[in-house]
Amino acid sequence: VYVQNAFLQILLGRRIHGHELSPNCYVCATMNGVSDMYTTPLSEAARTRLCTLFISTRAAGFQDSYDEWASKNGISPVARTFSKYRANLLREEPAFEELAIPVPRTVDMADRVLAASENVSFQTDDILFPMIAGLLGKACATEFIATKTLIEEAPTLEEILADPEGAKIPENPSVIYALTCAIVGGIT
């Protein structure tokens, strides 16, 4: 609890030991899973100000990443081979408990993550959904990203009403459905 209170002072106040944190400073925190002994659950105040990511040792690509690290850090071929080919004998990870809370603050944070992902010089396909889900939860993140797609692919109601015959017709069935619902909802 004491560590969490100190962390919230940094996170909320953006200050530490009398020094103000730069707007370009991002706070990263790690913690044990909630199923681990002596873990204090995060408060809602912290949960709505963090993107929570669960790093799984069973995730695709994890073993290759671990093996590369292990090779560079003197881990023996015995341990590396055992970890790779006998992973089924290692302790199972507990189920991931979502900590994200979809509230207006986390939706705003997700929007900033989406905007930032469009302005970087590297691919974000593999990390974008986990980042948004870490802010909103998986179900809400799915709909949030789908909303972005719908908005990008669909003409606006104003464009359709201004030129019903010449308006661009989307090809994505989900966009057509959403657009149809919006038109019907806007007319009635």
Side-chain angles (χ1 to χ4, degrees):
V1 176
Y2 299 112
V3 172
Q4 196 172 148
N5 287 339
F7 169 67
L8 282 174
Q9 289 177 12
I10 295 168
L11 191 64
L12 301 175
R14 308 281 304 159
R15 299 180 69 76
I16 183 168
H17 301 299
H19 301 284
E20 188 170 331
L21 298 178
S22 161
N24 295 324
C25 177
Y26 294 91
V27 179
C28 296
T30 61
M31 66 180 271
N32 293 334
V34 294
S35 63
D36 291 341
M37 289 179 59
Y38 309 114
T39 300
T40 303
L42 286 175
S43 68
E44 188 169 319
R47 290 170 54 193
T48 60
R49 289 171 171 83
L50 293 173
C51 174
T52 56
L53 298 174
F54 178 72
I55 309 300
S56 172
T57 58
R58 306 277 194 234
F62 178 84
Q63 182 59 45
D64 293 336
S65 177
Y66 165 77
D67 194 53
E68 182 180 334
W69 172 87
S71 174
K72 292 177 182 175
N73 287 279
I75 305 299
S76 77
V78 172
R80 291 172 40 215
T81 301
F82 185 84
S83 293
K84 183 173 186 174
Y85 295 107
R86 298 304 287 160
N88 61 311
L89 298 176
L90 302 178
R91 183 177 145 212
E92 285 289 322
E93 293 173 343
F96 172 66
E97 180 181 330
E98 283 193 357
L99 298 176
I101 301 173
V103 295
R105 175 184 295 121
T106 58
V107 171
D108 294 346
M109 291 166 61
D111 188 52
R112 289 195 299 273
V113 168
L114 274 180
S117 75
E118 294 169 358
N119 295 315
V120 295
S121 59
F122 55 88
Q123 289 292 326
T124 60
D125 299 345
D126 59 337
I127 60 173
L128 188 57
F129 182 77
M131 292 289 295
I132 301 298
L135 294 163
L136 302 175
K138 288 181 184 177
C140 193
T142 300
E143 289 202 31
F144 186 79
I145 292 172
T147 300
K148 177 184 184 290
T149 302
L150 294 174
I151 289 172
E152 290 174 347
E153 293 183 19
T156 66
L157 290 178
E158 292 78 17
E159 291 170 336
I160 294 170
L161 295 175
D163 185 11
E165 298 296 322
K168 174 184 135 193
I169 298 176
E171 294 182 20
N172 181 333
S174 298
V175 175
I176 294 170
Y177 176 75
L179 194 53
T180 303
C181 290
I183 291 169
V184 170
I187 294 174
T188 59

